[in-house]
Amino acid sequence: MAGPRRRTVRDLRRGNRATVLSKLYFDGPLSRQELGPLTALSSGSISNVVAELVADGVVEEAGSVDSDGGRPRTLLRVAPGSGHVVGVDVGETRVRVELFDLSLSELARADAPLPDAGPDGTYDAHEIVRLIAAGLTQVLDGAGVAPASLIGVGIGVPGIVEAAGPAGAVVHGQTIGWDAVPLEAMLRAPGELPPQIPLFVDNGAKTLGRAEMWFGAGRGARNAVITLIGSGVGACVIADGVPYQGSSSSAGEWGHTVLRVGGRVCRCGARGCLEAYVGAEALLERWRESGGSWTSPDEEGALAELLTAPDTGQLLDETAEFLGAGIADLVNLFNPERIVVAGWAGLLLGPRLIEPVRRAAAAYALRQPFAQTTVELGLLGTDAVTVGAATLPLGRFLETGGVRRELHAGGESRMG
């Protein structure tokens, strides 16, 4: 059996670049003097690495600060315009494509509604690929950005994502009728995305979780669960600072844990799933069954009408209890220090339901672990999935020290 690969001087240099670049990205602007104790690198190594990064255009000066009795210290930051990333949210009502600079400031966006599902509830994967490709062209043209400046495209999708050899990312989206859809290969087909662009594909709840952990309500936590409540329900489980994937990347399908044996039929075909009680689609169906109706043509508007309707108090109280019980399961299973309720429906329902949800979670969870947990609302709004998707290529860029990888024909594909 082959032993571990020996680290080379090139590996060491790249590791030092990654360490400095990540500190500047998350904690900058910083001076060279401040980087020393933060990175445990010598002053000589800091000087060499910074000189390389500045020469490559990845790092730039960002002003100066006075020092005690000496010359002013020059501050450094990651240059926002040194590259671009794209985040794509393949939701269950629309496809959103957003272009960002390296500071994740939005430069352009494109939204397109999903085509209607077929009679069997299946969404046409070829049409969704077309919408992604069209959205990418629209945002690049709108911002005047060349494809060559893209570090990569991150895509959040509903369902389970697995890497399947040369075909790249394959998506199993049971609730949208996708069974082993070779999304990566379809995106790489001639006439779709430029072949040189690296692609990164992951479950949408996990990309949302990355965004909240990097920039939002999860920041600073080592063990957390970021929940996504939209048309459906999912979660991103963070264990010791790292997203937990499970043996085949399906960990986090919280919406399909059984809340009531023999209960309501879920979109996945099973009965009693949490999603069948707290997902937006299910919540609206429960309202319809009780005699409610709405005028809005979309789920977001319909759910807003439900919240202001005079006859939905009992329905919302039941939903808070179901959601609290589901959160109690997360507390008992994972012992997180923080649980974040996010997703467009979670944020819409949150101001009305968060306190009864906390009370219900406390009633159903074991007391000791619940006392160590906080239940909070997400901070990043409805763009969190696209922001999180964009962090997939950005994270790779930081890990490699800002080195753009040489790509083979057909590009590079990675899961999140």
Side-chain angles (χ1 to χ4, degrees), residues 148-225:
S149 77
L150 284 182
I151 289 167
V153 174
I155 304 173
V157 298
I160 299 165
V161 180
E162 67 171 344
V170 172
V171 181
H172 305 270
Q174 195 164 321
T175 60
I176 59 172
W178 285 13
D179 183 12
V181 169
L183 186 65
E184 166 72 16
M186 294 169 68
L187 288 164
R188 292 288 185 205
E192 302 300 350
L193 299 192
Q196 74 274 17
I197 296 177
L199 296 179
F200 301 75
V201 184
D202 207 347
N203 171 270
K206 291 176 181 174
T207 69
L208 178 145
R210 285 176 64 95
E212 289 286 354
M213 292 299 294
W214 276 37
F215 306 112
R219 189 167 188 180
R222 296 292 297 173
N223 296 280
V225 182

Side-chain angles (χ1 to χ4, degrees), residues 122-132 178 181-183 186:
T122 298
Y123 287 88
D124 186 343
H126 291 281
E127 180 63 14
I128 289 175
V129 166
R130 187 192 69 78
L131 293 176
I132 294 172
W178 285 13
V181 169
L183 186 65
M186 294 169 68

Side-chain angles (χ1 to χ4, degrees), residues 293-308:
S293 63
W294 54 90
T295 60
S296 177
D298 57 58
E299 277 188 351
E300 290 91 338
L303 192 60
E305 290 183 46
L306 184 155
L307 281 167
T308 58

Side-chain angles (χ1 to χ4, degrees), residues 228-277:
L228 184 156
I229 303 174
S231 298
V233 175
C236 176
V237 179
I238 306 296
D240 198 22
V242 179
Y244 178 67
Q245 300 285 358
S247 63
S248 61
S249 193
S250 71
E253 289 292 337
W254 174 54
H256 301 291
T257 55
V258 176
L259 198 64
R260 177 176 290 179
V261 174
R264 296 178 62 86
V265 176
C266 180
R267 297 184 306 165
C268 73
R271 286 186 174 273
C273 294
L274 176 67
E275 183 173 299
Y277 294 92

Side-chain angles (χ1 to χ4, degrees), residues 327-346:
I327 286 175
D329 288 342
L330 295 176
V331 172
N332 293 343
L333 282 170
F334 298 111
N335 186 208
E337 62 195 277
R338 196 174 305 167
I339 294 175
V340 178
V341 177
W344 69 263

